Amino acid sequence: MHQNWEQKISSYFSCSQVQNVLVMPAPSKRKRAGDASSTASKVGRSSADSSASSAANTATQAASELTKIDPQEELLSTSKSLFEYLERLPPGTLRSIYNLPPPGGATVAAAVLRSSSLTDIARQCALRLVACGGKFKVGSIVEKWIQRHGQRDALLALRRLESMGILEPLGLANRPGQGNDDIDDEANDSEKRAKLMAKIACLTPEFKGAMKLHLSTMSSSPWPTIAREQIEEFKKSGGGAKSDGGEKESRDPPAPYELELYTQSSWDSVLHFLVGSDEAGKDKGGVEEPPEVMIQFLTRIGLMQEDPDYNGADRSRAPLVITSKGYEFMLRDTNAQVWQFVLQYLNSLAHHNMKDAIRMEALSFLICLGSCRVGEGYFNSVLQSKSARILMKDLARFGLLFVCRVAGKKAFYPTRVAVNLVASNEKEGSRQTDAIGQSVAATRSLEESLSAPVPSRSHLAVVVQTNFQVVAYTTSKLHISTLALFCDVESYRRLPNVIFFHITRDSIRSAFRLGVKADQILRFLHVHAHPMLRNGDHQLVPSNVTDQILLWDRERRRVVMDEVWAHQCRDSSEFAAVGQYASDLDALAWGNAHTNKLYVHFGKSEMVYAYIRKWRTKHYNS
Amino acid sequence: MTNEADDDYYGTASTNQQHEGGDEYTSAKKLVQRAADREALLKNLKPSASSLSADRSSSDVTNSLSTTSTQLGADFSSLKLKPDHISRPCWTCPDGTIYLEAFHEFYTKAYDFLVAISEPVARPEYVHEYKLTPYSLYAAVATNIDTESIVRVLNRFSKNEMPVGVAQFIRECTKRYGKAKLVLKHNKFYVESDYPAVLRELLRDDLISQARVAEETSGGDGAAAGGDGAAGVNNAAASGNGSNKNADGFVVNTKAEEMEENLRILREMDGDSDDDDDDDGEGGAQKQAVAKTTVSFQIKGDSVEVVKRRAIDLDYPLMEEYDFRNDKMNPDVPMDLKPHTKIRRYQERSLSKMFGNGRARSGIIVLPCGAGKTLTGVTAAQTIKKSVVCLCTNAVSVLQWKYQFKLWTNIPDENICVFTSDKKDDIPPQSAGGCVLITTYTMISFGGQRSDKSAEVMNQIKGREWGLLLMDEVHVVPAKMFRRVIGSVKAHCRLGLTATLVREDDLISDLNFLIGPKLYEANWMDLTTQGYLANVQCVEVWTPMTAPFMREYLMADNARLKQLLYVMNPAKLRATEFLMRFHEERGDKIIVFSDLVYSLKLYAAMLKRPMIYGETSERERQAILGTFRTSDALRTICISKVGDTSIDLPEANVIIQVSSHFGSRRQEAQRLGRILRPKSYTQTDGSNRSSFNAFFYTLVSTDTQEMFYSTKRQQYLIDQGYTFKIVTTLSEKADLEALQNDYAYKNAEDDRQLLRIVLTSDIEKDQRAEDTAIRKSNPDGAKLADLGVKRTAGSTLAQLSGGSGARYSSGPRKIHPMFAKRRKARM
């Protein structure tokens, strides 16, 4: 199975070194998946979650063992959004992205400038610098452009610009993870400050060039769109007749609803498959089983696994079941889900020998897609590099693009998902987009789709009632399957555009057993709350339901496992002293005065141990 | 019991005459059975309905759906949605369930309509659930809403195309119900109907046609001429109505107009519909035209029972209406409402259902505790102005009813009398005008040897005709008791009042036929928002069992001990004291409820507050309640289950429930009702919803049976829209406070001592004493309140189902003290 996958991927990248190309998302996951299946096979019919938890334990060890992995890659692989990913790239990489031939570089530069990665001040500085020739003294930027009380922010802004590869290095740069405190030190230290102020802030030529290009371009879309005239011209010239000759057939550009349908079916098919709803393939709405490659991809990134309860002889025929990570995945919103996919895709490039080039290509392509409009199409010929075309095919597989032949040439149409992937991330971090995304535009569109004469398949609006009833306005089997994860399936009532569920202790607990967390459920209910609840001061989820779900969650953790370090004291005086020290440190878990034994929280054991040694040298050696 | 009833029924007519009440009961049983059959019909319709729709859409998909739907819930997604569904407020499921969006713009209209035709299942804030049942439809028909209007209006409100099965079900249920009425007018009985065909069908029955008053049967072609003369007798009395006769010899009258308010629910919708649906509008107009006249024939007064029974057999149950305004035979009671009496909107609403067409209908009115049920009853009695028998559950509430009658109306002292085991007033003779007689269920239905005085009064009751039979707390009365009550009191109209029409057993349906349909049910949450009820914060306080108690709990082998342990959990004691201190400081009035007398005593001792339970003497009881009502010196009282109903404490606004009667939903609601009376500082401008002014605490020991029961108990209130807030941290705070402020049980040593006491105590003795005391002081009250609910580990199914009616007679329980002592000694 793996071999198959490897070959396919390698064919995309037309690379000779098959072994190297094929890379796991993260070693920890591979380890985990392997562990889970091996434990399961040993224990036989051990329950799914017990093996999963044991796997989780070993996974953490595995992560530290495999130190070969680049910490940079590790950092990248946990990014929550596209721009967070960009932020975590080294400035050098970013600069080479800006330097990509048009439209890539220019679009990325503009997108970075618009994104939430930059503060308002940073944006202002960058734009001014572009307009004023690109060079300025730091002193004048900080002291003249900005009001007095904003100077600290100005320094932070410059630092951010530097780390995003927009400014030439000033020595301010600070990778994410480090604190902001040192900037204060620098600002206070007069000598250093003077030095800093005298420096020249200089835009990187890459960014400057890209920005200039962007500002001088008239078109809003990165590539020339397929114009209506082109299609008509093609038809006039008898392009339609040609298709009879066995050549690949040209068609009219897809209508917006067709694109929407395509997105839903291709993306939903993945999700359907994940939750194992029997609807997949049967529904005439167009949902069918996702391509084999996709399925393998799902197992690869740990969303699915072979059924650990399967006790047939041939393990390779074991049915795939969703993992707890998969459930977590289900409860996210679509953008986050797509990003997760794209991220895994980018990660899978990590060990490629041309990884940087391909990754740059991929990122710029994604960002370009973000500045496209849904419904506009582009000929394949706009993509110059070969890797970009391969990329296009792969993204089409996720439902980000719709590929067809128009006017005799291959063309691609970005879908809503692709455009939103960048657009929604531009504003805020992914957590906030849930709330903001739902706020105005989404609420209106949801209201519209609720009142549509024939309910559309995409909307979901949930009302949770104080009697633990969940009223979900939806027609999608997928949403129902998702709700069924934590609602009582025995007592549902389904009507044409609405479904009624009850939340019970058992249903919530079974969700917990699958690895779903209480806050995920609550967030899901919040995100999909009915628009009616958002007008006025209604609670999106009644507080008694929230409380109860949290209480049910707490029920499971009544016995708390804690890792401790046991220390046998030599005598009661040591016991008293060390015990005192440990409890001052808030590290003492338990002490037994009869046996002079102390149990210290593992996290703080080293400090306690250091103290013990000090205490012993003082008391026993003198 | 059933056997006996069946024998009664199949027995000859002559034996039936002796057991009128019993006969009525049997008829009701028959009707209940029929209703159940109809409901089953709806369930059977479901698969056929879905297969019907399957033909419409792609068949294989729907088939696969319907196969899954049999396993999991119900899938009606194949129903067709109307294109303008967003502007309609309800969904109608093929199984008769109706969902209503409470945030919809047509909510109020749809709500009024739905409560009239269906049974509310759950009414939380956003989406309500209703259910069409034969009873609810019966009630709808009783208030003059006709079949086609129900179907039409429901269809208009419905987002989805109305399932064929539901329309069928509505027609099936209402086809016969309410088509014929038994009207008592001018002291003559008439069978009346809108449809001559129905009367003809009834007359085809031999017994009924025999019962018809003779002069009507002159018949034939000469009917028109001869009829005029014959009908002259009738018309003389009914001349005002301009009645005449038709070819069948039926008296034709203009139909009594239904009150505007009751029909408005139908009209308003007609008004809305004019633009979108013309056909229906015309249909409505035709309906109005048809319903203008009614036909009726007179029957002999002595064969009313026979006619009623035969009508049920023919499946045309006669609805009884009492034209009290034209009743000249029974004297009026000289009573009028006092000028200061103010009737609230919902009370008026409920009464308008009862007196909708100027006559009195029998039925049940459901109002939450504290919403003024008594005033509603008094007003109904006052409207009819005929003699009234008012039945209460115990002697205390008899006095309260008397007080209320005198408070709201100007009834003279001599016209109101009380009949209890302590006090037996003489019933004034008929010549002195009508009277209001207030008594208890047990006094009327008592089957054993009566005292001379009592027997004399009973004979008077039996010998008279009563205008109204008013039944308080009607849900507690077992069906068997009705047989006796109905057999003894000949009343033209019956009105039942209750707060909670739920029973753990399922005997509610009988009431629909024994008394009448449910005429009105108020929405608790609406009344709260409008400020007629206090806004209660319900809190479930989790108190962890202390370790020694938990150990004993787990090892205990009998349920009684287990119960005692979780009730006496020291953490609970501390939490109670904490809450009491907290609320007393705030100036609140607190009731501590404990079902277990043993624990009640201990709690009272711990809190140093007085208690009331079964053995408390009447004088002491009055003294405690009086102090509690009037003085700030006493802010807390502890009460056992005697206080569940009928103890009126309008000042109390906090309840701390430390132990309760297993999973009884009704007890929970009744207890909540103790503090629902609006407080003086309740806002009536609609802002009531936001601020709580009453508190209902239930203390629950975690990890015990109590958790399970508590969830079960809350169900009814949750369905009414209440929410229970769970508090888990209060216990820790209470423990801390206990140490600081020196509570009665503050440390582990106290707990251990308590445990020792608990384990060695004889709780059975106390509980038995309580039961005996309750039985002695008021034989029905507490007993009734707990009927049908499991009270001891050894209760039988018969007890559960309320079948052990024997306990109301003088059973073997009454042992002479001497024998009791001897038996004990032997044991």
Side-chain angles (χ1 to χ4, degrees), chain B residues 654-672:
Chain B
V654 176
I655 282 181
I656 305 173
Q657 181 174 254
V658 293
S659 87
S660 51
H661 200 102
F662 304 102
S664 162
R665 292 174 292 168
R666 194 177 65 228
Q667 192 186 42
E668 193 92 346
Q670 296 278 18
R671 283 188 174 166
L672 179 73

Side-chain angles (χ1 to χ4, degrees), chain A residues 450-453 463 465-467 473 489-490 492-494 496-498 500 532-533 538 544 547-548 551 558, chain B residues 72-77 79 81 83 85-86 91 93 95 99 101 103 124 126-127 703 718 723-726 728:
Chain A
L450 283 177
S451 60
V463 179
Q465 304 212 78
T466 48
N467 60 350
Y473 290 77
V489 282
E490 300 296 322
Y492 82 81
R493 288 179 155 271
R494 192 174 168 197
N497 65 338
V498 77
F500 296 88
M532 173 269 304
L533 299 175
H538 299 282
N544 69 320
D547 289 354
Q548 187 64 72
L551 282 171
R558 296 176 61 165
Chain B
L72 313 163
D75 190 335
F76 306 126
S77 56
L79 292 173
L81 210 58
H85 63 87
I86 195 77
W91 291 274
C93 303
D95 64 351
Y99 292 99
E101 279 177 340
F103 49 84
Y126 302 116
V127 181
D703 303 316
I718 286 175
T723 53
F724 280 79
K725 188 173 172 52
I726 298 174
T728 51

